[in-house]
Amino acid sequence: MSVPHEDGGKRPSESRRRFLTYAALAVLGGSGIAGAWAATRSDETPDPASTPTAVPTEGDDPSADSDEPDAVPELVRRYAPDLYFGDLEKWFPTDPRQYVVETEGEPVVDGFTALAEYSSAFAETGAPPDPTVFYNVVEAVDGVDVVQYWCYSVFDQFTVNFHWHDWELLQVFVDRETDAPILLSASAHARGSPNNEFLDPDLSGGRRIGILSEVGSHSSASEVNGVIPSFERLSTGEWESDVTNDILDVTQNLAAPFAYGLPRDEGARLPFAMPELDGYRLDQHPALSVDRADFIDERVTVEDWHGIPRPPMGLPLREPGLVLTHSESSTASDGDYRLAPLTAVRDAVSDFVGPQLSFEFAIPGFVEEQFADHITSVGIPWEQDRYGNPLDDVTDPAHRRRIDGSAPSGLSNRVVGRVRYLATGSDGALDRVSDEARDALDGLIDVSLHALPIEAAVRLASESPEATVTRGGVFGYLHVEPGAHQLVVNAPGFAPLGYRFVHEGGLVRTGTNGELTLVTNEDAGWIRGDGRDANGVSRVRVIEAYAGVVFDGQPVESDRFAVAVHRGGRYTVEIVDRNGTRGAYRVGPDDFDDDFEVVREDVETGKRSIASVLRDELADLHELAATVREDVGDDDPVLDRLSRAREEAESAVRIAERDGSDAANERLSNVISLLQEALELLSGDRQRAYSDSAVAAIDPRLTAAIDRARTAMETEVS
């Protein structure tokens, strides 16, 4: 495809095709790199003028009433970015004024009209209608001017968000004295997501800022590192990262730049969804003159997220598409866009309208899945704080300090996490098993943790819900108000995950030290518990025997919960009731009913429930030790201690049932002593029955059993 130029000629797509190499995302921790299309930017354009340029602000912009190219300020033309789109993009930046209709005497841009007319014009010509980028120039602080480049698309279709009238923003902060760019800030998916920012970009050699636009949503990432047209989250020996956002510890083992990035450009298989209106899929709505071909390609769109048994594995990765540039750029492209002042749109349009769209976003409830619409509306540029105060849209604290010396507290109110999934087999991660212990446990492990095969949608709900997507399983929110929140994760082919938490400011790592766990629909079993007729349920923790904690949080519903787990795993469910009393019970593969559920209609807390779990865990530990033990005779003091500890735990259960708290604690104290003796025997120089790998497998379980016995001692009889 070629896009007509203003001079009537065409610039063929083949002129910009480059040799492309793909590298999959291996997230951080030290050695990973973000997925990349590898190519080198040309440096043919001469350096921009080295003398400072007088910058007209909005009030005295001579081009405010003109679209003529020679009326556009030189500063605006100089930093006009090169725009890179994905091959599946449908809605390119255009001029909304051509879609104005009169409504009650006011000029408005109607969503139905804009989408239908844009789609019709695109289909007729095969080229984006009237490519346009709008600009606004404001002063950020004394001596720092900001060029804002606003891009309007008639529609936004994405994984977690759909709306009419999409506005995206690139801000270029320029030192007025040196005429050098200080900061680039490219607007991310939503205001609750961190922007993609780059401090002190090197634009020597006449290089242009590149802007990578995410398919469908048009969220932007700056491309400044000379590897185009792709986003690189991490630096390597060959290139710099495309962001300078600060590094956050997302989990204990994972650090990542706190930037939105560009998921489909980072090796992410990102599923799209089809929005709905009035019960119709939007492409089938009787009042809208569009068809399926006018929306994002079916190859990346999943129609029924919750009805499919497993995630779709064949979603295509991002491929490069059209390149649009300003006429003064030397970058090979498919066509030019024109620059126009945003004030011209403000003068011509009073509002952007369209009905609210929806998409069913599943929230796990005790009885059945609840659903919540999670679609947000876009704001009009000149009604947003960042239009007149560009610093409002700088989301990295260090970048903000560089511009005006401040670091607003809201920039540190963050929520982060990583999503993995539990699958059959032992070849994945095992949070409760050391590398040394794996040999001894060969053949005993049923499930393990794996990286997501596709990306997930994440919804953070309080007063103003925000939705985002994972990038390599990682997600992050910014400006999260302190208070109670609900977090829900959805992905096609996976059972939904949901829980509540309280954000007290600063950094919150969701789940268990930042880790959240999904399970595919075909493997899912539901653990449901109801504490309404007892003392309620304030917190739930579900621990798989080897994989570790797969759920940890407040239940979505008051006093009852539903957690999806892999039916092949073996779990301990820990409960805290409204009074702060602990309880626990066990769930294994044989406990699921014909509907793949384990339901506790009356959740029990107290000493007896914890002692019961301890007894069962000690039985498993005895079986494990007997299995991994080398055959050196019948007399084994470790097995002896474990057998006796299990008997003491059984006595503690019986006594607790009779409300004998002191006597039960005496038995539990005996359990602790016996387990400590077993630990000492395992670590002794004279023991020969257990290999180093076997000791590594048994030791942490002994320690955990001692902790469980102490918890039981501290817990009252209910």
Side-chain angles (χ1 to χ4, degrees):
M1 179 189 300
S2 297
V3 181
H5 281 247
E6 293 180 356
D7 60 5
K10 292 181 181 288
R11 194 175 296 172
S13 300
E14 288 76 11
S15 67
R16 66 174 174 82
R17 301 304 180 196
R18 306 169 175 89
F19 179 75
L20 303 175
T21 304
Y22 183 77
L25 176 65
V27 188
L28 299 170
S31 60
I33 61 171
W37 301 103
T40 302
R41 183 197 297 277
S42 170
D43 291 335
E44 297 176 359
T45 306
D47 288 335
S50 58
T51 56
T53 303
V55 181
T57 58
E58 181 183 336
D60 57 10
D61 187 346
S63 64
D65 298 316
S66 173
D67 289 353
E68 293 300 319
D70 58 0
V72 177
E74 189 276 334
L75 183 69
V76 174
R77 302 197 310 274
R78 183 196 318 162
Y79 292 112
D82 299 333
L83 306 179
Y84 296 89
F85 297 92
D87 184 55
L88 301 181
E89 184 57 67
K90 291 293 184 181
W91 303 288
F92 296 88
T94 190
D95 190 337
R97 290 175 291 179
Q98 60 195 307
Y99 306 118
V100 167
V101 297
E102 291 291 325
T103 300
E104 297 181 352
E106 295 289 337
V108 301
V109 181
D110 173 71
F112 273 55
T113 301
L115 178 58
E117 292 187 4
Y118 178 93
S119 299
S120 176
F122 202 163
E124 182 178 348
T125 65
D130 194 13
T132 307
V133 173
F134 296 94
Y135 65 87
N136 183 47
V137 182
V138 294
E139 184 179 65
V141 295
D142 185 30
V144 177
D145 296 305
V146 180
V147 187
Q148 296 181 334
Y149 297 95
W150 292 87
C151 294
Y152 168 83
S153 299
V154 298
F155 196 71
D156 178 306
Q157 179 188 351
F158 191 48
T159 301
V160 295
N161 201 30
F162 322 98
H163 52 75
W164 324 87
H165 319 302
D166 191 28
W167 285 100
E168 299 295 345
L169 171 65
L170 166 70
Q171 297 198 110
V172 183
F173 290 76
V174 181
D175 187 304
R176 190 181 303 156
E177 181 178 351
T178 65
D179 223 25
I182 305 171
L183 177 69
L184 309 178
S185 179
S187 57
H189 159 70
R191 295 304 303 278
S193 298
N195 284 337
N196 301 310
E197 299 173 354
F198 197 97
L199 193 64
D200 295 323
D202 179 8
L203 300 182
S204 61
R207 292 191 298 177
R208 289 270 171 172
I209 302 164
I211 290 297
L212 301 157
S213 180
E214 190 167 62
V215 170
S217 80
H218 315 113
S219 59
S220 302
S222 58
E223 200 299 300
V224 296
N225 66 2
V227 183
I228 58 174
S230 64
F231 175 80
E232 286 78 42
R233 186 179 298 270
L234 302 173
S235 299
T236 72
E238 299 179 12
W239 60 64
E240 291 183 316
S241 169
D242 277 318
V243 290
T244 56
N245 297 51
D246 59 334
I247 303 293
L248 284 186
D249 291 328
V250 178
T251 72
Q252 289 182 334
N253 302 312
L254 176 68
F258 191 62
Y260 177 74
L262 206 66
R264 289 192 60 79
D265 217 14
E266 297 183 71
R269 299 189 185 276
L270 189 64
F272 285 71
M274 178 61 72
E276 298 179 358
L277 178 65
D278 304 326
Y280 294 95
R281 285 181 12 167
L282 200 56
D283 61 316
Q284 299 174 354
H285 198 282
L288 188 59
S289 301
V290 293
D291 56 32
R292 183 64 187 82
D294 294 318
F295 292 86
I296 297 298
D297 197 290
E298 291 176 299
R299 289 176 293 165
V300 294
T301 306
V302 181
E303 303 292 349
D304 184 4
W305 281 35
H306 311 295
I308 58 178
R310 66 189 67 88
M313 306 297 284
L315 297 177
L317 296 166
R318 176 185 170 96
E319 295 183 2
L322 289 181
V323 178
L324 299 179
T325 63
H326 182 251
S327 59
E328 295 181 10
S329 172
S330 66
T331 302
S333 72
D334 298 292
D336 293 338
Y337 61 78
R338 65 187 177 92
L339 287 166
L342 188 57
T343 50
V345 181
R346 188 183 65 182
D347 293 342
V349 179
S350 64
D351 202 0
F352 293 81
V353 300
Q356 184 76 26
L357 302 173
S358 66
F359 172 67
E360 289 187 340
F361 194 86
I363 300 174
F366 176 77
V367 177
E368 60 186 7
E369 288 179 353
Q370 308 170 44
F371 291 91
D373 295 341
H374 67 293
I375 312 305
T376 57
S377 299
V378 67
I380 299 173
W382 49 88
E383 294 181 354
Q384 300 176 28
D385 291 339
R386 59 185 177 174
Y387 177 75
N389 178 20
L391 283 171
D392 183 67
D393 204 42
V394 176
T395 60
D396 186 276
H399 297 165
R400 180 64 183 263
R401 283 193 296 270
R402 174 66 180 278
I403 302 298
D404 72 347
S406 71
S409 59
L411 297 183
S412 63
N413 287 346
R414 307 175 182 186
V415 172
V416 298
R418 175 175 65 170
V419 184
R420 298 178 293 177
Y421 81 107
L422 205 56
T424 302
S426 61
D427 55 334
L430 297 165
D431 291 350
R432 299 191 78 192
V433 177
S434 67
D435 292 340
E436 188 179 15
R438 276 185 179 264
D439 288 342
L441 296 172
D442 185 43
L444 300 178
I445 298 170
D446 300 308
V447 294
S448 56
L449 294 159
H450 296 259
L452 291 179
I454 61 172
E455 300 302 327
V458 184
R459 181 179 187 265
L460 183 67
S462 52
E463 293 184 3
S464 300
E466 289 275 0
T468 189
V469 296
T470 61
R471 290 82 71 186
V474 175
F475 65 90
Y477 285 98
L478 180 72
H479 301 304
V480 180
E481 291 293 332
H485 297 270
Q486 181 188 85
L487 186 87
V488 179
V489 182
N490 274 210
F494 285 97
L497 164 72
Y499 76 101
R500 292 179 294 137
F501 68 97
V502 175
H503 179 42
E504 297 179 349
L507 176 65
V508 171
R509 296 181 180 87
T510 54
T512 306
N513 296 318
E515 301 284 9
L516 300 168
T517 305
L518 296 180
V519 60
T520 63
N521 285 326
E522 65 181 354
D523 292 329
W526 285 90
I527 298 175
R528 304 186 192 274
D530 193 340
R532 293 175 300 173
D533 292 335
N535 291 319
V537 177
S538 66
R539 193 168 189 87
V540 181
R541 195 168 186 250
V542 181
I543 309 157
E544 206 282 321
Y546 296 105
V549 180
V550 297
F551 182 89
D552 188 1
Q554 301 174 30
V556 170
E557 293 187 49
S558 179
D559 294 328
R560 56 183 188 167
F561 62 89
V563 177
V565 298
H566 193 293
R567 296 195 304 276
R570 300 176 184 277
Y571 306 93
T572 298
V573 183
E574 299 178 347
I575 306 295
V576 180
D577 66 21
R578 284 194 306 263
N579 299 325
T581 304
R582 298 178 180 274
Y585 62 96
R586 302 254 290 173
V587 172
D590 296 336
D591 295 319
F592 292 95
D593 62 20
D594 292 341
D595 295 323
F596 306 130
E597 294 185 342
V598 175
V599 181
R600 287 286 179 102
E601 295 287 356
D602 188 4
V603 173
E604 177 190 358
T605 57
K607 188 182 296 291
R608 194 199 73 84
S609 72
I610 299 177
S612 297
V613 166
L614 173 64
R615 173 199 60 200
D616 295 342
E617 289 176 338
L618 289 173
D620 288 348
L621 183 52
H622 185 277
E623 181 180 356
L624 172 63
T627 301
V628 301
R629 174 179 177 267
E630 297 180 359
D631 188 9
V632 293
D634 295 332
D635 184 22
D636 185 341
V638 173
L639 289 179
D640 173 69
R641 296 327 189 263
L642 292 176
S643 179
R644 289 161 55 191
R646 181 183 57 186
E647 293 171 359
E648 291 290 327
E650 175 63 39
S651 295
V653 172
R654 292 195 301 268
I655 295 170
E657 288 174 346
R658 301 194 300 268
D659 196 19
S661 181
D662 291 340
N665 281 353
E666 182 179 345
R667 299 294 187 178
L668 292 168
S669 179
N670 292 339
V671 170
I672 293 172
S673 297
L674 288 164
L675 295 180
Q676 287 173 335
E677 289 178 17
L679 276 174
E680 292 172 1
L681 289 166
L682 276 177
S683 61
D685 294 336
R686 299 177 62 182
Q687 77 86 13
R688 297 290 183 268
Y690 299 91
S691 66
D692 290 344
S693 179
V695 172
I698 298 171
D699 188 284
R701 296 182 178 279
L702 278 170
T703 302
I706 292 172
D707 290 340
R708 180 83 68 196
R710 286 172 175 157
T711 299
M713 290 182 67
E714 295 167 357
T715 303
E716 296 295 327
V717 174
S718 60

